[in-house]
Amino acid sequence: MIGILNKLLNRSRRGEDGSIVVDSARKATGGKTRTRVVMTMAVFLSIYVAITGRLVWFGFQGPTDSGPPPSRVTASRPDIVDRNGEVLATDIKTSSLFAEPRHIVDADEAIEKLATVLPEIDYEQTYKKLKSGAGFVWLQRQLTPKQQSEIMQLGIPGIGFRTEKRRFYPAGETASYIVGLTNIDNQGISGMEKYIDDQGLADLQLSGLAVAKDLKPVKLSIDLRVQHIVRNEVAEAMQRYHAIAAGGVVFNVKTGEVVAMASVPDFDPNNPYNAQDKDRLNRMSAGLYEMGSTFKSFTTAMALDSGKVTLESKFDASRPITIGRQTIRDFHGKGRVLSVPEVFIYSSNIGSAKEADVVGIEGHREFLHRLGLLEKMKTELPEVAKPTEPRVWKKVHSITAAFGHGISTTPLQTAVGCAALMNGGFLIEPTFLARTADQAMEAAKRVVSEKTVEGMRYLYTLNAEKGSGKNARVPGYRVGGKTGTAEKVINGRYSKDVRFNAFVAAFPMDDPQYIVLTIIDEPKPEMPGRGATAGSNAAPMVANIIRRAAPMLGVKPDFGQENAATLVSY
Amino acid sequence: MFRTSDIILIAVMVSAAAMTYKIKRDAEVQQAAVYKIQAQIRTEEDQIDLLKADWSLLTQPARLQRLTELYKDQLGLQNADARQIVRLEELPEKPPLTIEDIMAESGGEGIDKEKTASIAKDKAGADKSKAAGKAKATEKRPVAAAAKPKSTAKDKVASNTKVAVVDKIAEKIEDGADE
């Protein structure tokens, strides 16, 4: 364009400098060509300027508020399934219907058509919405794909869909603490959901590579049926005994798999409005308790394992032990010399304290660490509490720890420790992912000898036959176990009425496969006049769980060995 | 000559253009079909996901427990007892089946019952027993007497299921009837 202008100017200059110019051609057209060209250019230029100006003006203008809000980027997550492939958590696509009232041609017709698919639609309200002249309104959230396709078939102008991925937990509260939760951006914030994110899914999602199809389902060690039974029994027990909380775990002693673990009160992961409440805590792995007499299992095992004590050894439990300001008494005092099995089945605090004394303070501490009872548990679940112990162990600590006071640990760890006393002496890290016995044994380490295990199996069986664990017996399944009735600390003192009860059981006792541990926090007697010790609440919980779950766990009932404990030659 | 080559070239050009257009058009149609199928696959997949979730919701142990408790009385449901669980080898051996037992417990409709069971297993056998059933209904006594001596010889095969035994008897009855 500039070149043409120059040419035009050159021509006119040449005419003015006095040289001979043949003017006739220009004259012939009346000398108007130049002006015409310039005028045309001006017109086009002005059009383009107007267009550019308008564009710039649009550029500065904010977008008009129509159309749906920007879509949330919800990342895909793998399904979580139980050991049998039952779905525990899955992504489902839901679509929500919106309308742009400005583009609606005929509101009445639109509503009438919509009502054929959505009969529950509110005519008046929808009509108001569609006539409001707003850029965008939601009409119905979370439609099924069928409804969506039917609405699409109606062909109504001015409406559209927005699909959203939503995490759905078919099992509801049954496995809520194990499966965990995701936040609104589909990121795991607790339980196994968080574990999955920490395993690299979060990075995968960030890089945009988390495609739903490529994500394999995560298989947990949980058996949904057993999980339901445990959750059901635990929830019923909490009501029956008017407790503030209860929990239970079923632990495979051979593979270290947690087959079921429940803690109440819990929450519904599909509507977790109360998940952050103070009492919503996975007490089995994140609750610290003084486990009480269940710890006598460890004291006895330690004494037997040291080699200084055999099942025939006797301890004088006739008089209370006084150390400093504290006096150690027996709850069911016999006031005589007791043998090791008697110390165990009568749950003698004095006897246990003397057993611990044989091993010594350092030995005691080392043994509890060896069983992993005072270490922070290593497992997939992020909600794990670190056990507490006295900074410096003195004699009084060893004595109280002998019957499970003065140190606190998590119930799950106690179950894992007991598993080591039952499975042949191997400490296996608990896992929530499916695992075989061989894989478990690779990482397992021996903590107690075979002989100790034999002795402990005998004591557990005996305690269920004759001792405090009678209520945990289930015909055919050879249950053995140990009760624990711990007094809770209220205002710095041990209370006589506020208790924390636990029962740890193993079955079948001829070759233990599973540990079942139940806890119940601050239980009251079922009926006035009845006791509220572990034998009367935690033990029946175990019995109910085993009775219902054992067939599913593949344990064969056997009625031939009902009196095995008395047959063992001791 | 000059014109012929021209015409040929033009014809080639036009046909090439037509062909290109046709191929392009076909490709577009195919593409559209592919998109449609892809969309269909996506909705199907979503639907499968949804149905799976639905299924697991319906088969929740918690729900099933609620239902069994609700219909306990109507359906006569009871909790399974440990004593009811036995291994296969623990089952007592079935006493050998004799022709008298079958005759005693069956009559006409007894055979009918067996017949419906055998239809699923073996059509041909079922047909035979049907024929036999008819034969039996008409002349009960003599046929039973004819079948008896033969079947005692075959008592060793008592481990066979009742259905099979019935079929065998049916065969024999047929034989007897023919004789």
PDB file of all heavy atoms in Angstrom, chain A residues 307-338:
ATOM      1  N   GLY A 307      13.392 -68.554  79.556  1.00  0.00           N
ATOM      2  CA  GLY A 307      13.938 -69.836  79.972  1.00  0.00           C
ATOM      3  C   GLY A 307      14.036 -69.984  81.477  1.00  0.00           C
ATOM      4  O   GLY A 307      14.297 -71.068  81.983  1.00  0.00           O
ATOM      5  N   LYS A 308      13.833 -68.879  82.209  1.00  0.00           N
ATOM      6  CA  LYS A 308      13.947 -68.957  83.672  1.00  0.00           C
ATOM      7  C   LYS A 308      12.646 -69.434  84.305  1.00  0.00           C
ATOM      8  O   LYS A 308      12.607 -69.757  85.475  1.00  0.00           O
ATOM      9  CB  LYS A 308      14.305 -67.576  84.244  1.00  0.00           C
ATOM     10  CG  LYS A 308      15.700 -67.105  83.836  1.00  0.00           C
ATOM     11  CD  LYS A 308      15.901 -65.670  84.289  1.00  0.00           C
ATOM     12  CE  LYS A 308      17.147 -65.083  83.635  1.00  0.00           C
ATOM     13  NZ  LYS A 308      17.111 -63.624  83.605  1.00  0.00           N
ATOM     14  N   VAL A 309      11.587 -69.417  83.515  1.00  0.00           N
ATOM     15  CA  VAL A 309      10.276 -69.777  84.037  1.00  0.00           C
ATOM     16  C   VAL A 309       9.702 -70.878  83.161  1.00  0.00           C
ATOM     17  O   VAL A 309       9.833 -70.829  81.935  1.00  0.00           O
ATOM     18  CB  VAL A 309       9.340 -68.547  84.023  1.00  0.00           C
ATOM     19  CG1 VAL A 309       7.928 -68.938  84.447  1.00  0.00           C
ATOM     20  CG2 VAL A 309       9.876 -67.456  84.936  1.00  0.00           C
ATOM     21  N   THR A 310       9.115 -71.883  83.788  1.00  0.00           N
ATOM     22  CA  THR A 310       8.381 -72.894  83.025  1.00  0.00           C
ATOM     23  C   THR A 310       6.946 -72.863  83.491  1.00  0.00           C
ATOM     24  O   THR A 310       6.597 -72.138  84.430  1.00  0.00           O
ATOM     25  CB  THR A 310       8.959 -74.303  83.269  1.00  0.00           C
ATOM     26  OG1 THR A 310       8.755 -74.617  84.643  1.00  0.00           O
ATOM     27  CG2 THR A 310      10.423 -74.370  82.917  1.00  0.00           C
ATOM     28  N   LEU A 311       6.108 -73.674  82.860  1.00  0.00           N
ATOM     29  CA  LEU A 311       4.694 -73.675  83.240  1.00  0.00           C
ATOM     30  C   LEU A 311       4.497 -74.222  84.647  1.00  0.00           C
ATOM     31  O   LEU A 311       3.453 -74.018  85.261  1.00  0.00           O
ATOM     32  CB  LEU A 311       3.883 -74.494  82.236  1.00  0.00           C
ATOM     33  CG  LEU A 311       3.666 -73.807  80.887  1.00  0.00           C
ATOM     34  CD1 LEU A 311       2.942 -74.738  79.929  1.00  0.00           C
ATOM     35  CD2 LEU A 311       2.873 -72.517  81.033  1.00  0.00           C
ATOM     36  N   GLU A 312       5.532 -74.931  85.174  1.00  0.00           N
ATOM     37  CA  GLU A 312       5.390 -75.465  86.533  1.00  0.00           C
ATOM     38  C   GLU A 312       5.843 -74.469  87.604  1.00  0.00           C
ATOM     39  O   GLU A 312       5.628 -74.706  88.774  1.00  0.00           O
ATOM     40  CB  GLU A 312       6.207 -76.756  86.706  1.00  0.00           C
ATOM     41  CG  GLU A 312       5.559 -77.968  86.083  1.00  0.00           C
ATOM     42  CD  GLU A 312       5.933 -78.124  84.621  1.00  0.00           C
ATOM     43  OE1 GLU A 312       7.035 -77.665  84.239  1.00  0.00           O
ATOM     44  OE2 GLU A 312       5.114 -78.652  83.841  1.00  0.00           O
ATOM     45  N   SER A 313       6.504 -73.367  87.187  1.00  0.00           N
ATOM     46  CA  SER A 313       7.019 -72.415  88.174  1.00  0.00           C
ATOM     47  C   SER A 313       5.881 -71.857  89.017  1.00  0.00           C
ATOM     48  O   SER A 313       4.735 -71.763  88.564  1.00  0.00           O
ATOM     49  CB  SER A 313       7.721 -71.250  87.459  1.00  0.00           C
ATOM     50  OG  SER A 313       8.728 -71.741  86.626  1.00  0.00           O
ATOM     51  N   LYS A 314       6.211 -71.501  90.240  1.00  0.00           N
ATOM     52  CA  LYS A 314       5.179 -70.976  91.147  1.00  0.00           C
ATOM     53  C   LYS A 314       5.548 -69.562  91.587  1.00  0.00           C
ATOM     54  O   LYS A 314       6.735 -69.223  91.730  1.00  0.00           O
ATOM     55  CB  LYS A 314       5.066 -71.870  92.386  1.00  0.00           C
ATOM     56  CG  LYS A 314       4.809 -73.314  92.087  1.00  0.00           C
ATOM     57  CD  LYS A 314       3.459 -73.753  92.652  1.00  0.00           C
ATOM     58  CE  LYS A 314       3.234 -75.233  92.499  1.00  0.00           C
ATOM     59  NZ  LYS A 314       2.515 -75.590  91.289  1.00  0.00           N
ATOM     60  N   PHE A 315       4.538 -68.754  91.782  1.00  0.00           N
ATOM     61  CA  PHE A 315       4.750 -67.385  92.262  1.00  0.00           C
ATOM     62  C   PHE A 315       3.837 -67.137  93.447  1.00  0.00           C
ATOM     63  O   PHE A 315       2.667 -67.521  93.428  1.00  0.00           O
ATOM     64  CB  PHE A 315       4.458 -66.375  91.154  1.00  0.00           C
ATOM     65  CG  PHE A 315       5.444 -66.439  90.029  1.00  0.00           C
ATOM     66  CD1 PHE A 315       5.168 -67.186  88.888  1.00  0.00           C
ATOM     67  CD2 PHE A 315       6.651 -65.769  90.118  1.00  0.00           C
ATOM     68  CE1 PHE A 315       6.083 -67.267  87.858  1.00  0.00           C
ATOM     69  CE2 PHE A 315       7.560 -65.843  89.079  1.00  0.00           C
ATOM     70  CZ  PHE A 315       7.274 -66.601  87.945  1.00  0.00           C
ATOM     71  N   ASP A 316       4.390 -66.475  94.441  1.00  0.00           N
ATOM     72  CA  ASP A 316       3.609 -66.215  95.645  1.00  0.00           C
ATOM     73  C   ASP A 316       2.741 -64.977  95.415  1.00  0.00           C
ATOM     74  O   ASP A 316       3.248 -63.859  95.301  1.00  0.00           O
ATOM     75  CB  ASP A 316       4.554 -65.988  96.825  1.00  0.00           C
ATOM     76  CG  ASP A 316       3.767 -65.734  98.101  1.00  0.00           C
ATOM     77  OD1 ASP A 316       2.527 -65.909  98.080  1.00  0.00           O
ATOM     78  OD2 ASP A 316       4.400 -65.358  99.107  1.00  0.00           O
ATOM     79  N   ALA A 317       1.442 -65.190  95.333  1.00  0.00           N
ATOM     80  CA  ALA A 317       0.536 -64.067  95.121  1.00  0.00           C
ATOM     81  C   ALA A 317      -0.333 -63.867  96.348  1.00  0.00           C
ATOM     82  O   ALA A 317      -1.443 -63.365  96.287  1.00  0.00           O
ATOM     83  CB  ALA A 317      -0.333 -64.324  93.895  1.00  0.00           C
ATOM     84  N   SER A 318       0.178 -64.253  97.501  1.00  0.00           N
ATOM     85  CA  SER A 318      -0.657 -64.170  98.701  1.00  0.00           C
ATOM     86  C   SER A 318      -0.709 -62.763  99.260  1.00  0.00           C
ATOM     87  O   SER A 318      -1.683 -62.383  99.891  1.00  0.00           O
ATOM     88  CB  SER A 318      -0.151 -65.142  99.760  1.00  0.00           C
ATOM     89  OG  SER A 318       1.220 -64.886 100.002  1.00  0.00           O
ATOM     90  N   ARG A 319       0.345 -61.974  99.004  1.00  0.00           N
ATOM     91  CA  ARG A 319       0.313 -60.626  99.564  1.00  0.00           C
ATOM     92  C   ARG A 319       0.489 -59.563  98.484  1.00  0.00           C
ATOM     93  O   ARG A 319       1.250 -59.768  97.531  1.00  0.00           O
ATOM     94  CB  ARG A 319       1.427 -60.462 100.602  1.00  0.00           C
ATOM     95  CG  ARG A 319       0.871 -60.588 102.036  1.00  0.00           C
ATOM     96  CD  ARG A 319       1.995 -60.739 103.010  1.00  0.00           C
ATOM     97  NE  ARG A 319       2.777 -61.940 102.744  1.00  0.00           N
ATOM     98  CZ  ARG A 319       3.995 -62.144 103.215  1.00  0.00           C
ATOM     99  NH1 ARG A 319       4.588 -61.231 103.935  1.00  0.00           N
ATOM    100  NH2 ARG A 319       4.639 -63.262 102.958  1.00  0.00           N
ATOM    101  N   PRO A 320      -0.206 -58.442  98.615  1.00  0.00           N
ATOM    102  CA  PRO A 320      -0.045 -57.366  97.635  1.00  0.00           C
ATOM    103  C   PRO A 320       1.393 -56.845  97.619  1.00  0.00           C
ATOM    104  O   PRO A 320       2.102 -56.918  98.622  1.00  0.00           O
ATOM    105  CB  PRO A 320      -1.001 -56.283  98.133  1.00  0.00           C
ATOM    106  CG  PRO A 320      -1.906 -56.947  99.102  1.00  0.00           C
ATOM    107  CD  PRO A 320      -1.160 -58.102  99.673  1.00  0.00           C
ATOM    108  N   ILE A 321       1.780 -56.311  96.471  1.00  0.00           N
ATOM    109  CA  ILE A 321       3.107 -55.709  96.355  1.00  0.00           C
ATOM    110  C   ILE A 321       2.968 -54.219  96.590  1.00  0.00           C
ATOM    111  O   ILE A 321       2.095 -53.574  96.020  1.00  0.00           O
ATOM    112  CB  ILE A 321       3.695 -55.929  94.938  1.00  0.00           C
ATOM    113  CG1 ILE A 321       3.738 -57.412  94.612  1.00  0.00           C
ATOM    114  CG2 ILE A 321       5.065 -55.296  94.818  1.00  0.00           C
ATOM    115  CD1 ILE A 321       4.181 -57.708  93.192  1.00  0.00           C
ATOM    116  N   THR A 322       3.815 -53.676  97.452  1.00  0.00           N
ATOM    117  CA  THR A 322       3.796 -52.228  97.661  1.00  0.00           C
ATOM    118  C   THR A 322       5.092 -51.659  97.128  1.00  0.00           C
ATOM    119  O   THR A 322       6.174 -52.139  97.474  1.00  0.00           O
ATOM    120  CB  THR A 322       3.652 -51.884  99.150  1.00  0.00           C
ATOM    121  OG1 THR A 322       2.528 -52.594  99.653  1.00  0.00           O
ATOM    122  CG2 THR A 322       3.460 -50.392  99.341  1.00  0.00           C
ATOM    123  N   ILE A 323       4.961 -50.720  96.244  1.00  0.00           N
ATOM    124  CA  ILE A 323       6.161 -50.073  95.707  1.00  0.00           C
ATOM    125  C   ILE A 323       5.892 -48.583  95.647  1.00  0.00           C
ATOM    126  O   ILE A 323       4.918 -48.143  95.037  1.00  0.00           O
ATOM    127  CB  ILE A 323       6.574 -50.668  94.340  1.00  0.00           C
ATOM    128  CG1 ILE A 323       7.871 -50.028  93.872  1.00  0.00           C
ATOM    129  CG2 ILE A 323       5.481 -50.530  93.305  1.00  0.00           C
ATOM    130  CD1 ILE A 323       8.628 -50.892  92.900  1.00  0.00           C
ATOM    131  N   GLY A 324       6.726 -47.802  96.363  1.00  0.00           N
ATOM    132  CA  GLY A 324       6.472 -46.368  96.470  1.00  0.00           C
ATOM    133  C   GLY A 324       5.120 -46.139  97.128  1.00  0.00           C
ATOM    134  O   GLY A 324       4.816 -46.735  98.173  1.00  0.00           O
ATOM    135  N   ARG A 325       4.272 -45.365  96.428  1.00  0.00           N
ATOM    136  CA  ARG A 325       2.960 -45.068  96.992  1.00  0.00           C
ATOM    137  C   ARG A 325       1.918 -46.068  96.523  1.00  0.00           C
ATOM    138  O   ARG A 325       0.768 -46.036  96.940  1.00  0.00           O
ATOM    139  CB  ARG A 325       2.532 -43.649  96.594  1.00  0.00           C
ATOM    140  CG  ARG A 325       3.358 -42.555  97.246  1.00  0.00           C
ATOM    141  CD  ARG A 325       2.904 -41.195  96.772  1.00  0.00           C
ATOM    142  NE  ARG A 325       3.236 -40.963  95.363  1.00  0.00           N
ATOM    143  CZ  ARG A 325       2.344 -40.827  94.400  1.00  0.00           C
ATOM    144  NH1 ARG A 325       1.057 -40.909  94.675  1.00  0.00           N
ATOM    145  NH2 ARG A 325       2.719 -40.618  93.157  1.00  0.00           N
ATOM    146  N   GLN A 326       2.330 -46.908  95.568  1.00  0.00           N
ATOM    147  CA  GLN A 326       1.325 -47.768  94.948  1.00  0.00           C
ATOM    148  C   GLN A 326       1.318 -49.169  95.549  1.00  0.00           C
ATOM    149  O   GLN A 326       2.362 -49.690  95.934  1.00  0.00           O
ATOM    150  CB  GLN A 326       1.592 -47.863  93.446  1.00  0.00           C
ATOM    151  CG  GLN A 326       1.108 -46.620  92.727  1.00  0.00           C
ATOM    152  CD  GLN A 326       1.540 -46.616  91.287  1.00  0.00           C
ATOM    153  OE1 GLN A 326       2.673 -46.916  90.975  1.00  0.00           O
ATOM    154  NE2 GLN A 326       0.617 -46.257  90.418  1.00  0.00           N
ATOM    155  N   THR A 327       0.123 -49.714  95.610  1.00  0.00           N
ATOM    156  CA  THR A 327      -0.014 -51.091  96.059  1.00  0.00           C
ATOM    157  C   THR A 327      -0.678 -51.878  94.951  1.00  0.00           C
ATOM    158  O   THR A 327      -1.693 -51.462  94.401  1.00  0.00           O
ATOM    159  CB  THR A 327      -0.885 -51.156  97.327  1.00  0.00           C
ATOM    160  OG1 THR A 327      -0.363 -50.216  98.264  1.00  0.00           O
ATOM    161  CG2 THR A 327      -0.863 -52.548  97.911  1.00  0.00           C
ATOM    162  N   ILE A 328      -0.073 -52.987  94.599  1.00  0.00           N
ATOM    163  CA  ILE A 328      -0.615 -53.824  93.529  1.00  0.00           C
ATOM    164  C   ILE A 328      -1.409 -54.945  94.166  1.00  0.00           C
ATOM    165  O   ILE A 328      -0.887 -55.725  94.953  1.00  0.00           O
ATOM    166  CB  ILE A 328       0.532 -54.417  92.660  1.00  0.00           C
ATOM    167  CG1 ILE A 328       1.568 -53.364  92.294  1.00  0.00           C
ATOM    168  CG2 ILE A 328      -0.035 -55.117  91.442  1.00  0.00           C
ATOM    169  CD1 ILE A 328       1.071 -52.238  91.457  1.00  0.00           C
ATOM    170  N   ARG A 329      -2.697 -54.985  93.810  1.00  0.00           N
ATOM    171  CA  ARG A 329      -3.568 -56.033  94.353  1.00  0.00           C
ATOM    172  C   ARG A 329      -4.102 -56.894  93.209  1.00  0.00           C
ATOM    173  O   ARG A 329      -3.990 -56.534  92.048  1.00  0.00           O
ATOM    174  CB  ARG A 329      -4.761 -55.399  95.058  1.00  0.00           C
ATOM    175  CG  ARG A 329      -4.471 -54.846  96.406  1.00  0.00           C
ATOM    176  CD  ARG A 329      -5.741 -54.151  96.902  1.00  0.00           C
ATOM    177  NE  ARG A 329      -5.405 -52.897  97.550  1.00  0.00           N
ATOM    178  CZ  ARG A 329      -4.972 -52.812  98.799  1.00  0.00           C
ATOM    179  NH1 ARG A 329      -4.812 -53.889  99.526  1.00  0.00           N
ATOM    180  NH2 ARG A 329      -4.692 -51.641  99.324  1.00  0.00           N
ATOM    181  N   ASP A 330      -4.741 -57.983  93.599  1.00  0.00           N
ATOM    182  CA  ASP A 330      -5.397 -58.819  92.590  1.00  0.00           C
ATOM    183  C   ASP A 330      -6.886 -58.544  92.589  1.00  0.00           C
ATOM    184  O   ASP A 330      -7.493 -58.339  93.635  1.00  0.00           O
ATOM    185  CB  ASP A 330      -5.156 -60.310  92.897  1.00  0.00           C
ATOM    186  CG  ASP A 330      -3.825 -60.745  92.329  1.00  0.00           C
ATOM    187  OD1 ASP A 330      -3.149 -59.891  91.719  1.00  0.00           O
ATOM    188  OD2 ASP A 330      -3.471 -61.916  92.503  1.00  0.00           O
ATOM    189  N   PHE A 331      -7.458 -58.568  91.402  1.00  0.00           N
ATOM    190  CA  PHE A 331      -8.894 -58.328  91.270  1.00  0.00           C
ATOM    191  C   PHE A 331      -9.678 -59.553  91.769  1.00  0.00           C
ATOM    192  O   PHE A 331     -10.628 -59.437  92.520  1.00  0.00           O
ATOM    193  CB  PHE A 331      -9.228 -58.037  89.793  1.00  0.00           C
ATOM    194  CG  PHE A 331     -10.595 -57.495  89.599  1.00  0.00           C
ATOM    195  CD1 PHE A 331     -10.917 -56.220  90.057  1.00  0.00           C
ATOM    196  CD2 PHE A 331     -11.571 -58.230  88.946  1.00  0.00           C
ATOM    197  CE1 PHE A 331     -12.192 -55.712  89.866  1.00  0.00           C
ATOM    198  CE2 PHE A 331     -12.838 -57.720  88.762  1.00  0.00           C
ATOM    199  CZ  PHE A 331     -13.147 -56.453  89.213  1.00  0.00           C
ATOM    200  N   HIS A 332      -9.220 -60.733  91.317  1.00  0.00           N
ATOM    201  CA  HIS A 332      -9.855 -61.961  91.811  1.00  0.00           C
ATOM    202  C   HIS A 332      -8.816 -62.659  92.685  1.00  0.00           C
ATOM    203  O   HIS A 332      -8.278 -63.692  92.315  1.00  0.00           O
ATOM    204  CB  HIS A 332     -10.226 -62.912  90.661  1.00  0.00           C
ATOM    205  CG  HIS A 332     -10.803 -62.219  89.462  1.00  0.00           C
ATOM    206  ND1 HIS A 332     -12.131 -61.919  89.357  1.00  0.00           N
ATOM    207  CD2 HIS A 332     -10.216 -61.763  88.334  1.00  0.00           C
ATOM    208  CE1 HIS A 332     -12.339 -61.324  88.192  1.00  0.00           C
ATOM    209  NE2 HIS A 332     -11.192 -61.207  87.568  1.00  0.00           N
ATOM    210  N   GLY A 333      -8.472 -62.044  93.811  1.00  0.00           N
ATOM    211  CA  GLY A 333      -7.356 -62.555  94.614  1.00  0.00           C
ATOM    212  C   GLY A 333      -7.610 -63.959  95.140  1.00  0.00           C
ATOM    213  O   GLY A 333      -8.715 -64.312  95.534  1.00  0.00           O
ATOM    214  N   LYS A 334      -6.569 -64.812  95.100  1.00  0.00           N
ATOM    215  CA  LYS A 334      -6.707 -66.166  95.624  1.00  0.00           C
ATOM    216  C   LYS A 334      -5.954 -66.276  96.954  1.00  0.00           C
ATOM    217  O   LYS A 334      -6.192 -67.193  97.716  1.00  0.00           O
ATOM    218  CB  LYS A 334      -6.124 -67.193  94.639  1.00  0.00           C
ATOM    219  CG  LYS A 334      -6.909 -67.291  93.358  1.00  0.00           C
ATOM    220  CD  LYS A 334      -8.145 -68.166  93.488  1.00  0.00           C
ATOM    221  CE  LYS A 334      -9.086 -67.845  92.342  1.00  0.00           C
ATOM    222  NZ  LYS A 334     -10.455 -68.254  92.598  1.00  0.00           N
ATOM    223  N   GLY A 335      -5.017 -65.326  97.144  1.00  0.00           N
ATOM    224  CA  GLY A 335      -4.299 -65.301  98.413  1.00  0.00           C
ATOM    225  C   GLY A 335      -3.448 -66.534  98.673  1.00  0.00           C
ATOM    226  O   GLY A 335      -3.413 -67.052  99.773  1.00  0.00           O
ATOM    227  N   ARG A 336      -2.819 -67.052  97.596  1.00  0.00           N
ATOM    228  CA  ARG A 336      -1.945 -68.210  97.804  1.00  0.00           C
ATOM    229  C   ARG A 336      -0.880 -68.243  96.715  1.00  0.00           C
ATOM    230  O   ARG A 336      -0.842 -67.364  95.851  1.00  0.00           O
ATOM    231  CB  ARG A 336      -2.758 -69.500  97.824  1.00  0.00           C
ATOM    232  CG  ARG A 336      -3.483 -69.775  96.528  1.00  0.00           C
ATOM    233  CD  ARG A 336      -4.253 -71.081  96.627  1.00  0.00           C
ATOM    234  NE  ARG A 336      -5.172 -71.249  95.508  1.00  0.00           N
ATOM    235  CZ  ARG A 336      -4.852 -71.842  94.369  1.00  0.00           C
ATOM    236  NH1 ARG A 336      -3.629 -72.281  94.157  1.00  0.00           N
ATOM    237  NH2 ARG A 336      -5.744 -71.980  93.411  1.00  0.00           N
ATOM    238  N   VAL A 337      -0.077 -69.257  96.787  1.00  0.00           N
ATOM    239  CA  VAL A 337       0.955 -69.430  95.773  1.00  0.00           C
ATOM    240  C   VAL A 337       0.295 -69.962  94.500  1.00  0.00           C
ATOM    241  O   VAL A 337      -0.510 -70.887  94.570  1.00  0.00           O
ATOM    242  CB  VAL A 337       2.042 -70.410  96.281  1.00  0.00           C
ATOM    243  CG1 VAL A 337       3.060 -70.669  95.188  1.00  0.00           C
ATOM    244  CG2 VAL A 337       2.720 -69.848  97.522  1.00  0.00           C
ATOM    245  N   LEU A 338       0.610 -69.330  93.370  1.00  0.00           N
ATOM    246  CA  LEU A 338      -0.033 -69.719  92.117  1.00  0.00           C
ATOM    247  C   LEU A 338       1.005 -70.236  91.128  1.00  0.00           C
ATOM    248  O   LEU A 338       2.129 -69.727  91.080  1.00  0.00           O
ATOM    249  CB  LEU A 338      -0.752 -68.524  91.490  1.00  0.00           C
ATOM    250  CG  LEU A 338      -1.858 -67.843  92.298  1.00  0.00           C
ATOM    251  CD1 LEU A 338      -2.311 -66.572  91.594  1.00  0.00           C
ATOM    252  CD2 LEU A 338      -3.036 -68.764  92.509  1.00  0.00           C
TER     253      LEU A 338
END
